[in-house]
């Protein structure tokens, strides 16, 4: 009997949905929720090489060359996050892992000429939390040493750093501000505990 | 806490980094040619200066890239950080 694996899929924070909803109702200045699953691909290709152009054309999004920035497609369906000088995280709609992987592999293989490069589906690697509201930055600043002030960090910026001693990819989505926090699934429960406590502490009496 | 300048990500807390010891050590061209003493020297013996010291660091919580740092071992002052394939800065 064939098993439909998509039916077996569990979201890392699915069991805390109600808890996060209740907290967000109490503290609308900084609402916390898990994002619906999305496709995440780790892409490595040498900057300034022909395969990189092919990959950008296949994706329809540029790969940011400036560290700690994000490029998004016009329709907002695809995004590329800078992870390293030759490494990016491709965020794509849920369920597109296979076609996008194949397209990128073709772009890499036909143009690589034996050079280095890879694309790996890491969708299950990280859970995605969304923290948004006027107090969101205050919440993050209690556990993160990177400067998140608008003069240094704004929409379209991402940063890999430690948040409450957990390694995260932090991506500011808009001016509200809203942040995406991508964290290893095994750290998701811990980080949610910490974020809930920080949200309570920062929104108390507001 | 040291503030270390990653050549790609900029200044970050020391806790984001890992330490990799002395920089600019090259693997012997032909290890079989070395005497046991020279081989042991290559493997285990490192400079331990008081003053400027070129050392390797890895930005393990960030971009996960290795790079080199010129740090004064007496004052902890960091005067340069540069990519792993760059030459050691001369000006000290």
């Amino acid at each position: 009997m064939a098993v439909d694996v998509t039916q077996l899929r569990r979201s890392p924070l699915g069991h805390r949905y109600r808890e996060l909803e209740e907290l967000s109702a109490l503290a609308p200045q900084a609402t916390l929720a898990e994002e619906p699953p999305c496709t995440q691909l780790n892409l490595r290709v040498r900057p300034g090489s022909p395969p990189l152009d092919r990959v950008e054309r296949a994706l329809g999004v540029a790969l940011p060359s400036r560290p700690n920035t994000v490029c998004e497609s016009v329709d907002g369906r695809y995004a590329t996050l800078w992870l390293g000088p030759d490494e990016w995280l491709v965020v794509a709609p849920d369920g597109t892992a296979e076609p996008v992987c194949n397209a990128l592999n073709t772009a890499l293989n036909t143009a690589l000429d034996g050079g280095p490069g890879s694309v790996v589906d890491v969708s299950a690697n990280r859970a995605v939390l969304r923290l948004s509201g006027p107090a969101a930055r205050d919440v993050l600043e209690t556990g993160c040493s990177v400067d998140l002030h608008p003069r240094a960090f704004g929409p379209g910026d991402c940063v890999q750093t430690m948040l409450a001693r957990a390694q995260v990819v932090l991506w500011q989505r808009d001016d509200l501000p809203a942040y995406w926090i991508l964290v290893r699934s095994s750290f998701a429960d811990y980080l949610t505990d910490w974020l809930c406590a920080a949200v309570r502490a920062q929104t108390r009496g507001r | 806490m040291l503030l270390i300048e990653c050549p790609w990500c900029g200044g970050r807390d020391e806790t984001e980094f890992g330490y990799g010891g002395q920089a600019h050590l090259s693997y012997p061209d032909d290890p079989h040619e070395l005497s046991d003493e020279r081989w042991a020297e290559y493997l285990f013996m490192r400079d331990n200066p008081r003053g400027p010291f070129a050392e390797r660091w890895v930005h393990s919580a960030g971009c996960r890239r290795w790079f080199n740092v010129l740090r004064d071992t007496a004052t902890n002052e960091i005067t340069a950080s540069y990519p792993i394939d760059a030459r050691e800065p001369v000006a000290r």
Side-chain angles (χ1 to χ4, degrees):
Chain A
M1 191 183 76
V3 178
D4 182 5
V5 286
T6 57
Q7 294 302 309
L8 298 173
R9 189 164 70 162
R10 294 283 179 278
S11 150
L13 293 167
H15 60 292
R16 305 187 67 161
Y17 174 78
R18 198 163 296 275
E19 178 194 346
L20 294 181
E21 211 176 42
E22 283 167 9
L23 177 69
S24 298
L26 286 173
Q29 304 95 332
T31 59
L32 184 63
E34 188 186 16
E35 283 285 313
C38 57
T39 292
Q40 299 171 46
L41 306 173
N42 187 281
L43 171 71
R44 298 202 63 171
V45 56
R46 195 164 274 174
S49 65
L52 186 128
D53 294 339
R54 301 274 296 241
V55 163
E56 287 182 332
R57 240 169 298 156
L59 265 179
V61 197
L63 298 175
S65 56
R66 203 157 67 85
N68 298 319
T69 56
V70 183
C71 287
E72 275 186 89
S73 64
V74 184
D75 58 6
R77 280 163 54 83
Y78 295 88
T80 47
L81 285 73
W82 187 96
L83 295 185
D86 59 358
E87 188 174 2
W88 290 268
L89 183 73
V90 179
V91 178
D94 188 34
T96 60
E98 211 175 309
V100 178
C101 252
N102 288 342
L104 292 183
N105 262 322
T106 310
L108 284 174
N109 289 331
T110 49
L112 265 180
D113 309 326
S118 72
V119 53
V120 181
D121 181 4
V122 293
S123 304
N125 187 15
R126 295 187 184 93
V128 183
L129 279 154
R130 182 190 192 87
L131 179 66
S132 59
R137 179 158 66 89
D138 299 333
V139 171
L140 292 178
E141 280 173 344
T142 60
C144 176
S145 65
V146 170
D147 187 4
L148 298 176
H149 189 278
R151 75 176 163 242
F153 198 79
D157 285 337
C158 71
V159 68
Q160 297 171 91
T161 186
M162 308 290 272
L163 177 62
R165 281 161 287 151
Q167 203 264 334
V168 296
V169 182
L170 196 63
W171 172 16
Q172 185 171 342
R173 302 299 310 264
D174 59 35
D175 270 325
L176 188 59
Y179 299 92
W180 265 29
I181 305 165
L182 294 92
V183 61
R184 303 259 150 73
S185 298
S186 53
F187 283 81
D189 250 322
Y190 157 74
L191 194 70
T192 304
D193 286 343
W194 183 87
L195 279 167
C196 286
V199 165
R200 280 192 202 98
Q202 288 300 313
T203 56
R204 193 171 295 143
R206 284 207 190 190
Chain B
M1 170 115 55
L2 293 178
L3 276 175
I4 298 174
E5 187 85 12
C6 167
W8 286 277
C9 303
R12 298 288 180 86
D13 283 355
E14 180 188 352
T15 48
E16 293 193 8
F17 297 86
Y19 184 66
Q22 186 179 352
H24 305 295
L25 291 171
S26 45
Y27 191 77
D29 289 336
D30 185 1
H32 298 287
E33 290 235 310
L34 297 186
S35 63
D36 285 355
E37 197 186 339
R38 294 275 311 282
W39 177 243
E41 202 169 286
Y42 161 73
L43 280 184
F44 305 117
M45 305 309 278
R46 296 289 179 264
D47 296 344
N48 186 21
R50 179 187 164 85
F53 186 45
E55 54 195 13
R56 298 184 301 171
W57 287 83
V58 60
H59 193 187
S60 35
C63 60
R64 294 176 307 287
R65 295 304 183 278
W66 284 94
F67 60 98
N68 293 336
V69 161
L70 204 58
R71 179 179 66 95
D72 191 303
T73 56
T75 63
N76 261 337
E77 190 193 355
I78 292 173
T79 49
S81 68
Y82 49 102
I84 197 85
D85 51 358
R87 294 173 78 97
E88 185 178 347
V90 193
R92 287 189 170 179

